[in-house]
Amino acid sequence: MSRPKLLALLCLAVVCAPARAVEPPPLAIAIHGGAGVIDPAKMTPQHAASYRAGLAAALDAGYAILEHGGSSLDAVTAAVRIMEDDPQFNAGRGAVLNHDGDAELDAAIMDGHGPRAGAVAGVRRVRNPIELARLVMEKSPHVLLVAEGAEEFALEQGVALVPREYFRTEARVRELEEARRQAGELKAAAPGPTGTVGAVALDGAGHLAAATSTGGLTDKHRGRVGDSPIVGAGTYADDDSCAVSGTGQGEFFIRQVVAFDICALVLYRHLTLAQAVHEVIRKLRHTGGEGGVIAVDRGGNIAMDFNSVGMFRGARDSRGRRDIAMYRDAQ
Amino acid sequence: MSRPKLLALLCLAVVCAPARAVEPPPLAIAIHGGAGVIDPAKMTPQHAASYRAGLAAALDAGYAILEHGGSSLDAVTAAVRIMEDDPQFNAGRGAVLNHDGDAELDAAIMDGHGPRAGAVAGVRRVRNPIELARLVMEKSPHVLLVAEGAEEFALEQGVALVPREYFRTEARVRELEEARRQAGELKAAAPGPTGTVGAVALDGAGHLAAATSTGGLTDKHRGRVGDSPIVGAGTYADDDSCAVSGTGQGEFFIRQVVAFDICALVLYRHLTLAQAVHEVIRKLRHTGGEGGVIAVDRGGNIAMDFNSVGMFRGARDSRGRRDIAMYRDAQ
């Protein structure tokens, strides 16, 4: 190479260096719409397309917020709210019904910046539990409000309650009747249909957030609360480590403190996010629990794993990734 | 040394080995009766003696169970039940009253062997919430039941409910009136009177257990749930690491997943129990949270630490230790 050419290249490198330094920070979002609920034999192409469309709507709405400079907190709130309003998913409208024929809804949100958290459990007349969880975080000194006390708080905050009938969709009433026919209440925590919706995200300011919302188990005992609204079990976020949302058999997730355990493995044992998720899913399998998690770390790495037949999920990031999948083979 | 002498020594070693092997395994129990509730200026000698007697009754009852070959699960249940029935402590009878003038009780129990867990939150008519939490663990597929659903479960299990008036002791009614006079509900999570009762134990079979029970915060919002019934936050036990019960400002304990974090530091970073407890109390102070924890590990080591003015506490083990203390200087 001639000397002028070399000089020109060096100048180019110097000129380009600042451009590298201001490379935009990574953005990432992952969502799930439940695990273990998918029987491939019963999944018609129409059903699959409809679920995929529901997941895509939530994923892209959340990502659009990140792309426009919004917070991870707003992104996960929006993604979960969209799935709450979609009757295909077991959260908000579409929540499964308890033994008394009511939906009893649980949700939690966590802002890794702080960290701060808010959660509600056992609410029966709140259209979007994830928004109420966020109000608990932002407008009260508390983290968790349950049952009628949580609904009173909703009214104090100007949130209109919906009639209980809002949640009694034809499909869920049929499922409850089927469950009642098949067995008693004890089977509720046995392997079978379980679902939740959730989202985790990293925004341009480097903040992580996680949100989870669910109707819990079909035919569940009144007052039963699963892992979704439990900080550390089904939902956790800390800017120093990672953000996690889980779905599956809640009792196993609570006993194992699944979401926090993933972040502890990242922080204390310096595992990669994928290794930590893999390890916790392995432990879950070992105890006989079924389910999956989605997680994102400070570097924008996304990890999604499950030990059930499938997990409705989606991931999108600023490196160009955009996946929607239901089964293990990323289909 | 001559060959016969060497042989004799070897025989002695072989004979003595089984004697060493059957050295009794360590037994240990620690209890707390709340942190941050103790103003030394207001503590009369009569009050102090009465609190000490209450703590001693719980501590010795729990230890007697361990000493007679009972399980750590039975020991922590007995110790907590005694403090629930003692109106001096903020749990069971003696629980503080919420904004509506009702006691709303939370409790959790965890058996490190399994591990298994049971919890109840927001119950208003259960005399011994710790026993109901244990029934949730042993007689249901669930971990957490809340509010009226938990009371329904109590009735299904043959547990008689008590009238709400059972909890309205003169002292707690006066405290609620005082709290209402002083400020609105938002101050509830600010530094101030907070209390809980709890116990952790190691039994002769090497199993760990933890139990926590509380009335929460005076003048709290209806439906507010603190860390006590949250597995990982206020209560955690795993035979592989340790057993922990916390007391203090519950919202901080939930966000930090305090109880599980201590066990994670022991398991993943190989800290001693005392180091892990110290580290987590340091983090609590850093976030502005106030409270304390008691913990025991597989070796029978007990750690108790707090960042509040005092913590009612007691510890007893098979090495001859028996302490009851309220302030930092072990008095």
Side-chain angles (χ1 to χ4, degrees):
Chain A
M1 197 182 282
S2 68
R3 190 171 285 186
K5 266 192 182 162
L6 191 64
L7 265 172
L9 266 176
L10 274 170
C11 288
L12 197 67
V14 168
V15 168
C16 288
R20 285 177 62 96
V22 296
E23 187 180 298
L27 305 175
I29 184 166
I31 64 166
H32 68 74
V37 288
I38 320 161
D39 181 349
K42 289 184 186 162
M43 182 69 73
T44 64
Q46 289 80 2
H47 272 129
S50 179
Y51 281 127
R52 283 175 172 279
L55 291 167
L59 183 70
D60 293 339
Y63 190 75
I65 288 170
L66 299 176
E67 214 171 18
H68 289 89
S71 70
S72 53
L73 198 61
D74 284 341
V76 297
T77 306
V80 167
R81 190 179 51 228
I82 286 169
M83 289 187 281
E84 282 180 340
D85 288 341
D86 183 337
Q88 298 182 104
F89 301 109
N90 175 16
R93 185 164 161 83
V96 298
L97 304 179
N98 74 3
H99 190 69
D100 300 342
D102 273 320
E104 276 192 312
L105 309 156
D106 305 335
I109 192 159
M110 194 155 180
D111 178 0
H113 182 53
R116 305 182 294 162
V120 294
V123 296
R124 291 182 286 180
R125 296 181 294 161
V126 176
R127 177 180 160 149
N128 290 109
I130 200 64
E131 293 191 332
L132 187 58
R134 187 158 169 182
L135 285 171
V136 172
M137 177 173 84
E138 295 181 336
K139 307 288 186 190
S140 92
H142 303 308
V143 172
L144 176 57
L145 293 177
V146 304
E148 289 172 10
E151 293 182 358
E152 273 180 19
F153 174 75
L155 291 173
E156 289 159 21
Q157 294 295 321
V159 175
L161 300 181
V162 294
R164 295 187 195 173
E165 288 66 33
Y166 171 78
F167 300 104
R168 294 204 187 103
T169 64
E170 199 186 314
R172 297 311 188 189
V173 170
R174 212 166 43 232
E175 274 173 31
L176 176 61
E177 284 165 1
E178 183 62 23
R180 282 175 175 165
R181 253 198 307 275
Q182 283 183 1
E185 197 270 325
L186 270 163
K187 67 137 200 43
T194 51
T196 309
V197 308
V200 294
L202 171 72
D203 64 26
H207 298 315
L208 294 164
T212 314
S213 182
T214 189
L217 303 169
T218 298
D219 200 26
K220 69 182 176 184
H221 194 289
R222 188 174 172 201
R224 178 266 184 184
V225 174
D227 62 309
S228 304
I230 305 299
V231 167
T235 307
Y236 189 74
D238 184 345
D239 282 358
D240 288 340
S241 51
C242 62
V244 180
S245 173
T247 174
Q249 295 175 296
E251 280 73 12
F252 291 85
F253 279 66
I254 294 177
R255 285 187 289 259
Q256 272 187 240
V257 199
V258 160
F260 183 80
D261 195 16
I262 290 169
C263 296
L265 287 167
V266 167
L267 203 59
Y268 298 151
R269 282 192 42 203
H270 307 295
L271 299 194
T272 66
L273 188 70
Q275 288 169 335
V277 163
H278 184 77
E279 169 63 11
V280 167
I281 293 292
R282 188 196 62 75
K283 282 200 254 182
L284 192 68
R285 186 181 301 116
H286 182 72
T287 62
E290 191 177 275
V293 299
I294 55 171
V296 61
D297 69 13
R298 309 195 289 173
N301 300 297
I302 291 170
M304 306 192 281
D305 202 1
F306 52 99
N307 65 10
S308 40
V309 176
M311 179 168 79
F312 291 122
R313 61 199 187 277
R316 190 165 171 188
D317 69 22
S318 51
R319 293 162 192 140
R321 175 180 181 177
R322 184 179 178 283
D323 309 322
I324 307 272
M326 296 192 287
Y327 299 105
R328 186 147 301 282
D329 57 356
Q331 291 304 303
Chain B
M1 197 181 285
S2 69
R3 191 170 285 183
K5 267 192 183 163
L6 190 66
L7 265 171
L9 266 175
L10 273 171
C11 288
L12 197 67
V14 167
V15 168
C16 289
R20 285 177 61 98
V22 296
E23 186 180 299
L27 306 175
I29 184 166
I31 63 166
H32 68 74
V37 288
I38 321 161
D39 181 348
K42 290 185 185 161
M43 182 69 72
T44 65
Q46 288 80 1
H47 272 130
S50 179
Y51 281 127
R52 282 174 173 280
L55 291 166
L59 183 69
D60 293 339
Y63 190 75
I65 288 170
L66 299 176
E67 214 170 19
H68 289 90
S71 70
S72 53
L73 199 60
D74 285 341
V76 298
T77 305
V80 167
R81 190 180 50 230
I82 286 169
M83 289 187 281
E84 282 180 340
D85 287 341
D86 183 337
Q88 297 182 104
F89 300 109
N90 175 16
R93 185 164 161 83
V96 299
L97 304 179
N98 73 4
H99 190 70
D100 300 342
D102 273 321
E104 276 191 312
L105 308 157
D106 305 334
I109 192 160
M110 194 155 180
D111 178 359
H113 182 53
R116 305 182 294 161
V120 294
V123 296
R124 290 181 287 181
R125 295 182 295 160
V126 177
R127 178 180 159 150
N128 290 110
I130 200 64
E131 294 191 332
L132 187 58
R134 188 158 168 182
L135 285 171
V136 171
M137 177 173 84
E138 294 180 337
K139 306 288 185 190
S140 92
H142 303 308
V143 172
L144 175 59
L145 293 177
V146 304
E148 289 172 10
E151 293 182 357
E152 273 180 19
F153 175 75
L155 291 172
E156 290 159 20
Q157 295 294 320
V159 176
L161 300 181
V162 294
R164 295 187 196 174
E165 287 65 33
Y166 171 79
F167 300 103
R168 294 205 186 103
T169 64
E170 200 186 313
R172 297 311 189 190
V173 169
R174 212 166 44 231
E175 274 174 30
L176 176 61
E177 284 164 1
E178 182 62 23
R180 282 175 175 165
R181 255 199 304 277
Q182 282 183 3
E185 196 271 327
L186 270 162
K187 68 143 197 39
T194 50
T196 309
V197 308
V200 294
L202 171 72
D203 64 27
H207 299 314
L208 295 164
T212 315
S213 182
T214 190
L217 304 168
T218 298
D219 200 25
K220 69 182 176 184
H221 194 289
R222 188 174 173 201
R224 178 265 186 186
V225 175
D227 62 309
S228 304
I230 305 299
V231 167
T235 308
Y236 189 74
D238 184 345
D239 281 359
D240 288 339
S241 51
C242 62
V244 181
S245 173
T247 174
Q249 296 175 294
E251 280 72 12
F252 291 85
F253 279 66
I254 294 176
R255 284 186 290 258
Q256 270 188 241
V257 198
V258 160
F260 183 81
D261 195 16
I262 290 170
C263 296
L265 287 167
V266 167
L267 203 60
Y268 299 150
R269 282 191 41 202
H270 307 295
L271 299 194
T272 66
L273 188 69
Q275 288 170 335
V277 163
H278 185 77
E279 169 63 11
V280 167
I281 294 293
R282 188 196 62 74
K283 281 199 255 183
L284 192 67
R285 187 182 299 115
H286 182 72
T287 61
E290 191 178 275
V293 300
I294 55 172
V296 62
D297 68 13
R298 310 195 290 172
N301 300 297
I302 292 170
M304 306 191 281
D305 201 1
F306 53 99
N307 65 10
S308 40
V309 176
M311 179 168 78
F312 292 122
R313 63 200 187 277
R316 191 166 170 187
D317 68 23
S318 52
R319 294 163 191 140
R321 173 180 183 177
R322 185 180 177 280
D323 309 322
I324 307 273
M326 296 192 288
Y327 300 105
R328 187 148 299 282
D329 57 356
Q331 292 303 301

